Amino acid sequence: MLRALTLSGSVRVDSSNSRLANAVGNKLSLSGADVTNIDLLNYPLELFSEDSEAANGEPDAAVMLAQMFAQADIIFIASPEYNGSVSPLLKNTIDWVSRQKSGPYKNATFGIGAASPGKMGGVGGLGHLREILNKLGALVIPLTLGVGSSFNAFTENGEFVEDIIARRADNLVTQLVSIRRN
Ligand SMILES: Cc1cc2nc3c(=O)[nH]c(=O)nc-3n(C[C@H](O)[C@H](O)[C@H](O)COP(=O)(O)O)c2cc1C
């Protein structure tokens, strides 16, 4: 059984990116994967500093996340667009995890998406996210998922309101379960 993680780059109450991560997680479950939706509130990490790392070592949260990344077959990241880039929370998490030696970015197939109240769905930050992940040696599938008008984009059950978005999410999940790097 494929092991999948989803991750939201926002821990805001009612975060639309958390809804997106969970909606993709549900579809991954339906496709037969064993899914864990990661809530970064449970993995608190201070702002990365090499001085702090040298003095205090690796934080438990970074070690745990890196182990989960290294053991996952699929990782879907829902990334809020902050001024055309990724959120500081997401970048900080990626940076801490990148310091771990367990090969956290070199096993899974990654999918990326974004949700935003704007019409473009926050996809303006996904180019940066792809570059960061590529730099770390990750395989990121070509298809991305942007969810615009995000406050009205999900049903109470956490499904996509618009058929066209649901179909794109299905295509993304199909790629995630079928493209393996090994
Ligand atoms: C500092 C900051 C910068 C933002 N920049 C953008 C942006 O460039 N494009 C965009 O579509 N939305 C932008 N937004 C709005 C976010 O897309 C919106 O707050 C979104 O709901 C955040 O994701 P969340 O719902 O998962 O927390 C920005 C929000 C903040 C706080």
Side-chain angles (χ1 to χ4, degrees):
M1 185 184 264
L2 292 173
R3 278 176 291 194
L5 303 176
T6 74
L7 184 76
S8 168
S10 168
V11 290
R12 193 174 66 77
V13 175
D14 288 335
S15 158
S16 43
N17 284 280
S18 298
R19 287 187 206 279
L20 171 57
N22 292 341
V24 170
N26 288 341
K27 286 187 178 291
L28 283 164
S29 268
L30 289 172
S31 78
D34 175 21
V35 180
T36 302
N37 295 314
I38 293 175
D39 181 348
L40 288 179
L41 273 181
N42 296 325
Y43 299 87
L45 288 165
E46 66 175 288
L47 192 57
F48 183 84
S49 135
E50 287 188 79
D51 287 344
S52 167
E53 185 185 41
N56 305 317
E58 305 301 323
D60 290 346
V63 174
M64 283 189 286
L65 284 171
Q67 278 172 357
M68 292 168 80
F69 277 34
Q71 290 167 4
D73 300 297
I74 295 166
I75 300 178
F76 175 75
I77 301 178
S79 173
E81 180 179 355
Y82 276 16
N83 299 320
S85 191
V86 302
S87 66
L89 171 68
L90 181 58
K91 184 63 165 60
N92 195 49
T93 303
I94 290 173
D95 286 346
W96 269 116
V97 171
S98 77
R99 305 292 284 177
Q100 313 308 309
K101 308 285 184 248
S102 47
Y105 295 100
K106 295 192 174 156
N107 187 52
T109 301
F110 283 74
I112 57 177
S116 160
K119 286 207 173 109
M120 303 304 289
V123 295
L126 293 182
H128 284 178
L129 179 57
R130 183 181 292 280
E131 275 183 38
I132 294 163
L133 292 170
N134 286 346
K135 167 82 183 167
L136 292 165
L139 171 69
V140 186
I141 62 168
L143 193 62
T144 58
L145 183 59
V147 180
S149 306
S150 56
F151 297 143
N152 302 313
F154 301 93
T155 67
E156 281 184 9
N157 296 330
E159 291 164 349
F160 296 105
V161 167
E162 285 194 34
D163 287 345
I164 192 168
I165 301 289
R167 281 202 300 277
R168 200 172 169 91
D170 287 337
N171 290 339
L172 181 116
V173 165
T174 300
Q175 288 191 2
L176 283 174
V177 298
S178 57
I179 299 174
R180 299 267 69 74
R181 61 181 296 157
N182 299 318

